[in-house]
Amino acid sequence: MGIWFYVFLAFAAGLLVGLSRQINGRLSLSTTPLESSFWNHAVGFAVLCVVALSIGWSHPQDGLADIPLSAYAGGAVGVVFIASSSWLIARIGAAQTAVLVIAGQMVSSVILDIAMGTAGVAWARTLGVALILAGIFYGRRARD
């Protein structure tokens, strides 16, 4: 598969994240961010089970002993992410929440890339994130 397929897939995933946050934000207006996060994960788990069973994946225990316990922390982080996003969308809007989430992702990604010695130009990545953050703060300041 060519690079454009991966670009499209990443872009589509981003669209789905935005849609998901908007749906959960609306749900949290009728419930609470924690309850919204609960339903997000419960429905997601049910859909995942249906998909896994429909493709014949019936051995979720295969290889569990080889996975470090810390690898499962992603689920806990995901709960915090979804609950906080749901809470924020109702207060600062979908676009502002998305931009700030993306900025946070960029900062943590650059830090992790530098810490792990990933190939690339560290100063260029850092400058790119600084420009994103400057744009966020400038755009917010222009509205206030």
Side-chain angles (χ1 to χ4, degrees):
M1 284 185 241
I3 187 71
W4 289 110
F5 174 76
Y6 299 122
V7 168
F8 170 76
L9 194 58
F11 184 76
L15 291 174
L16 292 174
V17 167
L19 177 62
S20 174
R21 298 291 63 82
Q22 188 69 28
I23 292 168
N24 286 331
R26 293 201 184 275
L27 179 59
S28 75
L29 291 173
S30 302
T31 60
T32 67
L34 186 59
E35 190 174 350
S36 170
S37 181
F38 170 81
W39 285 113
N40 175 280
H41 285 87
V43 171
F45 178 72
V47 170
L48 180 61
C49 287
V50 169
V51 169
L53 292 173
S54 69
I55 64 171
W57 185 62
S58 61
H59 302 290
Q61 70 277 4
D62 289 350
L64 286 179
D66 300 329
I67 300 171
L69 194 57
S70 62
Y72 296 101
V77 171
V79 168
V80 173
F81 168 70
I82 289 172
S84 62
S85 294
S86 298
W87 186 80
L88 285 167
I89 282 177
R91 285 155 181 81
I92 64 173
Q96 190 73 18
T97 299
V99 168
L100 291 168
V101 165
I102 291 167
Q105 289 173 336
M106 293 300 299
V107 168
S108 66
S109 296
V110 167
I111 291 170
L112 288 170
D113 278 352
I114 291 170
M116 297 177 76
T118 304
V121 182
W123 70 264
R125 291 178 183 172
T126 304
L127 177 62
V129 170
L131 289 171
I132 291 170
L133 294 174
I136 290 169
F137 290 117
Y138 177 75
R140 184 74 191 164
R141 198 174 123 220
R143 265 196 277 150
D144 291 340

